[in-house]
């Protein structure tokens, strides 16, 4: 089986699974089982893809021969490459783990089949973005992911908060996508083709279709779309609210699909991005602000699921910062490797918190205190997931974060680019990440006696996941510990990291973790860094960005809409209603005149003349 055949099936199989799942929606458990089996088949295919991955990209015509539309060639190509194979494998693995977890977590949900079908379609869209060598296919996958995220976040649509979160995610990402679409259109127009290779050849060489300023402007528009989809500043506030969706949806969106898609797209366009200084500065400053701000907000969350959400915002900023600072020699693979590792340990953390929330009945820190004691696997999974999140050496997150630091350092000592700013932000973020990871660990593993699992709740009376869920968590835990061994396969083209960066990272992690450890001695670890209700509320509200959105954007737009509606109703419609009334009155007088009502005929004719004259004056007045 060739790598290109694997690419075809990795995109097509989840689509077929989504259709089959919807067809079986009247038997939801059977439908979910079909989705799970298809996802496991995708994992097998993706594993095969790791062994047959070519050393360079290979393209194949998808569906039909190239199409010419208005002088633009559309080749509809899919591609296969070493990094592509690695990313596709982790997407397939996370999707399979999410679907396995879904069958247990949403066991009594009346819309289980629809949820499983949406997860399958979401996976197909991400696979399309990963394998696309045509920007039209990239755009299709990009938009389908946005639609699926809306459906997953709002799955519990009977809750007003879930509906609002879904609307917010959809609107914010759609607004940012305006820039994404405009940037793609500009790149395609300049290259005369939607093929990714043609776009790169046209815009990365010395003979670009336009000036370097235009190239930077177009890439900046694409970056704006990526910032929106990846929940980066100033679009960061939608992602924590997306926690209103079921935990499996959070695991999928945060780990391996939606928020990571921007990293894949910019990595594909990296040969152009590296020459677009304006776009790199925009990306670098946005990610520097985001990674520090999101890590600080994670530190003060009273809900551990929202803590993980803010950590995703920060970690995505880290992987995107590698693209903003990488030199042409380093390339985009450090960012893709951190995306790979983040998908593993973040899916592990979200699925573990989903399990513990069933035991505790909530994701609030006050309810989860000591919840990890329910099972040894829960403690181990939570521990290693947080170690990887903090960037501890040797686990998968530590290895990938060290390569991002090296990339930022090389960018900082090179000429141009936002390397210095990003490097400083990364070092601060390492400390903050270790602090909130230690806090989360202290809360979940507090030495408290928990109630027996049988008291967990009505939906899951045993409180224990199925054997399949435990197996999925075990696999993710093992990959979190030894997943860094993927570097020896050569799938990611990454330079060796220095041991000095490892020692510096370890020192910074020790400082952050030590601060949290000391803070816990003066009170409850769940209240560390949020001493008052006011501070806690401020952190939970994301420093009030949602309120700022409403007051600075939503309220003025709604006010303008009301003014336009008033003018349309009272002014524009007034002329129409006046003309209609005049016609009615004229008709009434004409009718009476036709009936030869002598006493009023003369008056009617005079009135009719006045109406005609007045109408003529209004129409001719300027």
């Amino acid at each position: 089986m060739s790598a290109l055949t694997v690419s075809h099936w990795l995109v097509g199989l989840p689509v077929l699974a989504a259709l089959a799942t919807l067809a079986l929606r009247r038997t939801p458990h059977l439908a979910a089982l079909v989705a799970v089996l298809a996802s496991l088949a995708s994992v097998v295919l993706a594993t095969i893809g790791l062994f047959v991955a070519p050393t360079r990209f290979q393209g194949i015509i998808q569906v039909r021969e190239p199409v010419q539309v208005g002088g633009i060639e559309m080749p509809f190509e899919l591609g296969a490459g070493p990094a592509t194979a690695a990313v596709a494998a982790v997407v397939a693995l996370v999707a399979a783990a999410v679907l396995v977890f879904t069958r247990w977590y949403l066991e009594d949900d009346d819309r289980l089949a629809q949820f499983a079908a949406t997860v399958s379609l979401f996976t197909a869209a991400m696979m399309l973005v990963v394998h696309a060598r045509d920007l039209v296919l990239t755009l299709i996958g990009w938009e389908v992911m946005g639609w699926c995220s809306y459906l997953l976040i709002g799955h519990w649509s009977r809750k007003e908060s879930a509906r609002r979160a879904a609307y917010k995610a959809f609107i914010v990402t759609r607004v940012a996508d305006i820039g994404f679409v405009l940037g793609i259109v500009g790149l395609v127009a300049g290259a005369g083709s939607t093929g990714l290779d043609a776009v790169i050849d046209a815009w990365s060489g010395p003979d670009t279709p336009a000036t370097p300023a235009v190239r930077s402007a177009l890439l900046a528009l694409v970056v704006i779309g990526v910032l929106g989809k990846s929940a980066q500043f100033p679009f960061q506030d939608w992602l924590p609210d997306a926690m209103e969706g079921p935990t499996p949806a959070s695991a999928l969106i945060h780990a391996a699909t939606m928020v990571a898609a921007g990293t894949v797209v910019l990595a594909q366009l990296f040969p152009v991005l590296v020459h677009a200084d304006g776009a790199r500065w925009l990306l670098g400053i946005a990610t520097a602000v985001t990674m520090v701000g999101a890590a600080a907000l994670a530190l003060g969350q009273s809900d551990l699921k929202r803590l993980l959400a803010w950590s995703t915002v920060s970690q995505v900023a880290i992987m995107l910062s590698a693209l903003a600072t990488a030199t042409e020699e380093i390339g985009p693979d450090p960012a893709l490797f951190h995306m790979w590792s983040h998908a593993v340990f973040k899916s592990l953390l979200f699925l573990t918190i989903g399990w513990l929330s069933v035991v505790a009945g909530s994701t609030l820190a006050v309810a989860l205190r000591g919840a990890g004691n329910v099972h040894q696997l829960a403690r181990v999974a939570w521990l290693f997931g947080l170690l990887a999140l903090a960037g501890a050496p040797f686990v998968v997150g530590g290895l990938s974060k060290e390569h991002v630091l090296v990339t930022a350092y090389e960018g900082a000592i090179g000429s141009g680019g936002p390397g210095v700013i990003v490097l400083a932000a990364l070092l601060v973020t390492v400390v903050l990440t270790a602090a909130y990871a230690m806090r989360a660990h202290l809360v979940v593993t507090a030495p408290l006696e928990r109630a027996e699992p049988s008291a967990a709740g009505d939906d899951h009376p045993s409180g224990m996941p199925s054997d399949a869920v435990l197996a999925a968590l075990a696999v993710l835990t093992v990959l979190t510990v030894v997943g860094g061994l993927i570097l020896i396969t050569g799938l990611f083209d990454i330079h060796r990291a220095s041991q000095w960066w490892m020692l510096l990272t370890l020192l910074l992690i020790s400082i952050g973790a030590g601060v949290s450890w000391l803070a816990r001695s003066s009170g409850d670890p769940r209240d560390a860094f949020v001493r008052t209700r006011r501070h806690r509320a401020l952190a939970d509200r994301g420093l009030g960005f949602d309120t700022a959105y409403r007051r600075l954007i939503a309220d003025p737009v709604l006010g303008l809409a009301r003014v336009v509606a008033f003018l349309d109703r009272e002014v524009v419609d007034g002329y129409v209603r006046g003309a209609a009334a005049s016609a009615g009155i004229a008709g009434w007088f004409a009718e009476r005149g036709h009936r030869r009502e002598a006493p009023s005929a003369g008056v009617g004719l005079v009135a009719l003349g006045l109406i005609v004259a007045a109408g003529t004056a209004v129409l001719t007045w300027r």
Side-chain angles (χ1 to χ4, degrees):
M1 182 178 289
S2 70
L4 295 174
T5 303
V6 170
S7 299
H8 270 92
W9 279 105
L10 286 176
V11 175
L13 185 58
V15 175
L16 297 176
L19 295 175
T21 304
L22 284 178
L24 296 170
R25 63 185 178 277
R26 296 187 183 278
T27 54
H29 289 283
L30 177 60
L33 179 60
V34 169
V36 169
L37 293 176
S39 69
L40 294 176
S42 293
V43 172
V44 173
L45 283 171
T47 304
I48 295 173
L50 293 176
F51 293 98
V52 299
T55 57
R56 58 181 294 276
F57 267 104
Q58 295 178 357
I60 185 171
I61 302 301
Q62 173 72 359
V63 181
R64 57 178 298 169
E65 293 296 321
V67 176
Q68 289 284 341
V69 178
I72 302 294
E73 183 185 32
M74 297 183 179
F76 297 109
E77 289 181 340
L78 296 180
T84 299
V87 172
V90 80
V91 171
L93 176 65
V94 171
V98 166
L99 283 168
V100 168
F101 189 84
T102 297
R103 287 196 73 217
W104 171 74
Y105 188 81
L106 298 178
E107 181 180 8
D108 297 324
D109 194 297
D110 59 346
R111 298 178 62 239
L112 171 61
Q114 288 88 332
F115 186 90
T118 306
V119 170
S120 296
L121 185 59
F122 206 146
T123 306
M126 183 63 183
M127 288 293 189
L128 182 59
V129 170
V130 170
H131 292 98
R133 301 297 290 178
D134 186 301
L135 292 181
V136 168
L137 298 180
T138 298
L139 192 58
I140 291 172
W142 186 269
E143 294 301 328
V144 171
M145 274 194 291
W147 177 53
C148 290
S149 69
Y150 167 77
L151 296 177
L152 293 177
I153 295 168
H155 176 74
W156 285 329
S157 56
R158 299 177 183 92
K159 293 170 53 180
E160 191 280 333
S161 57
R163 295 195 302 271
R164 185 183 185 276
Y167 294 149
K168 183 176 182 179
F170 188 81
I171 291 172
V172 171
T173 55
R174 292 290 75 71
V175 169
D177 281 351
I178 295 173
F180 188 83
V181 173
L182 291 176
I184 293 295
V185 169
L187 292 174
V188 168
S193 172
T194 61
L196 186 59
D197 294 326
V199 169
I200 291 173
D201 291 340
W203 288 94
S204 61
D207 300 326
T208 60
T211 63
V214 173
R215 176 172 56 194
S216 289
L218 293 177
L219 262 295
L221 289 171
V222 175
V223 166
I224 289 172
V226 169
L227 295 178
K229 193 78 83 179
S230 302
Q232 302 295 288
F233 181 83
F235 307 103
Q236 78 284 352
D237 201 59
W238 71 264
L239 192 58
D241 286 355
M243 295 301 96
E244 292 294 334
T247 297
S250 303
L252 186 66
I253 293 172
H254 287 247
T257 54
M258 179 104 162
V259 298
T263 303
V264 174
V265 172
L266 289 183
Q268 292 171 342
L269 291 171
F270 181 78
V272 184
L273 177 66
V274 75
H275 297 293
D277 291 338
R280 295 180 70 202
W281 272 100
L282 173 63
L283 183 62
I285 292 174
T287 54
V289 171
T290 303
M291 71 176 74
V292 175
L297 285 170
L299 194 58
Q301 296 299 303
S302 60
D303 187 307
L304 292 192
K305 193 177 176 185
R306 291 180 67 90
L307 179 150
L308 293 180
W310 280 115
S311 79
T312 296
V313 176
S314 182
Q315 293 297 311
V316 173
I318 291 173
M319 64 182 78
L320 288 173
S321 71
L323 293 170
T325 57
T327 62
E328 195 168 5
E329 292 75 20
I330 292 178
D333 279 17
L336 291 175
F337 179 43
H338 190 59
M339 174 197 162
W340 192 94
S341 69
H342 178 263
V344 173
F345 69 73
K346 187 53 64 70
S347 59
L348 174 64
L349 287 171
F350 266 109
L351 296 183
T352 303
I353 202 72
W355 172 14
L356 299 181
S357 69
V358 171
V359 174
S362 173
T363 57
L364 290 173
V366 65
L368 286 170
R369 194 174 184 210
N373 299 321
V374 70
H375 195 280
Q376 186 64 28
L377 178 59
R379 291 175 61 89
V380 172
W382 190 248
L383 171 63
F384 283 105
L386 291 176
L387 285 174
L389 175 62
F394 303 114
V395 295
V396 67
L399 291 174
S400 62
K401 192 173 290 186
E402 286 163 13
H403 284 92
V404 173
L405 282 167
V406 171
T407 300
Y409 174 73
E410 294 294 334
I413 63 176
S415 57
V420 175
I421 297 174
V422 169
L423 181 61
L426 280 169
L427 297 177
V428 173
T429 303
V430 170
V431 177
L432 293 173
T433 305
Y436 70 70
M438 174 60 82
R439 176 180 172 239
H441 177 70
L442 290 173
V443 170
V444 170
T445 61
L448 297 177
E449 292 294 331
R450 299 289 305 183
E452 290 299 319
S454 58
D458 296 334
D459 292 340
H460 304 278
S462 69
M464 282 295 295
S466 63
D467 291 340
V469 172
L470 295 177
L473 290 173
V475 170
L476 290 173
T477 303
V478 171
L479 279 178
T480 299
V481 177
V482 302
L485 293 176
I486 195 173
L487 291 179
I488 66 177
T489 65
L491 292 171
F492 293 109
D493 183 13
I494 293 179
H495 298 233
R496 293 183 59 185
S498 168
Q499 62 179 351
W500 296 110
W501 281 109
M502 184 181 299
L503 293 174
L504 176 60
T505 301
L506 184 59
L507 174 62
L508 295 176
I509 292 172
S510 301
I511 293 172
V515 169
S516 281
W517 178 265
L518 295 175
R520 74 93 178 74
S521 63
S522 58
D524 193 329
R526 69 174 185 269
D527 291 330
F529 312 107
V530 282
R531 298 298 184 186
T532 68
R533 290 184 178 180
R534 179 173 176 272
H535 292 153
R536 184 181 295 112
L538 189 62
D540 288 342
R541 292 197 305 266
L543 300 180
F545 270 91
D546 187 67
T547 302
Y549 287 156
R550 290 200 303 269
R551 293 182 178 176
L552 299 178
I553 300 175
D555 290 346
V557 170
L558 290 175
L560 179 61
R562 294 188 189 98
V563 171
V564 172
F566 173 81
L567 293 175
D568 182 68
R569 183 178 61 252
E570 303 299 334
V571 178
V572 177
D573 284 358
Y575 283 108
V576 177
R577 289 194 299 269
S582 299
I585 294 172
W588 182 80
F589 280 115
E591 181 185 9
R592 292 180 64 86
H594 182 71
R595 292 178 179 176
R596 300 179 182 276
E597 297 184 12
S600 60
V603 177
L605 292 173
V606 172
L608 179 61
L610 290 174
I611 291 171
V612 172
T616 303
V618 169
L619 293 174
T620 58
W621 179 76
R622 297 181 183 276

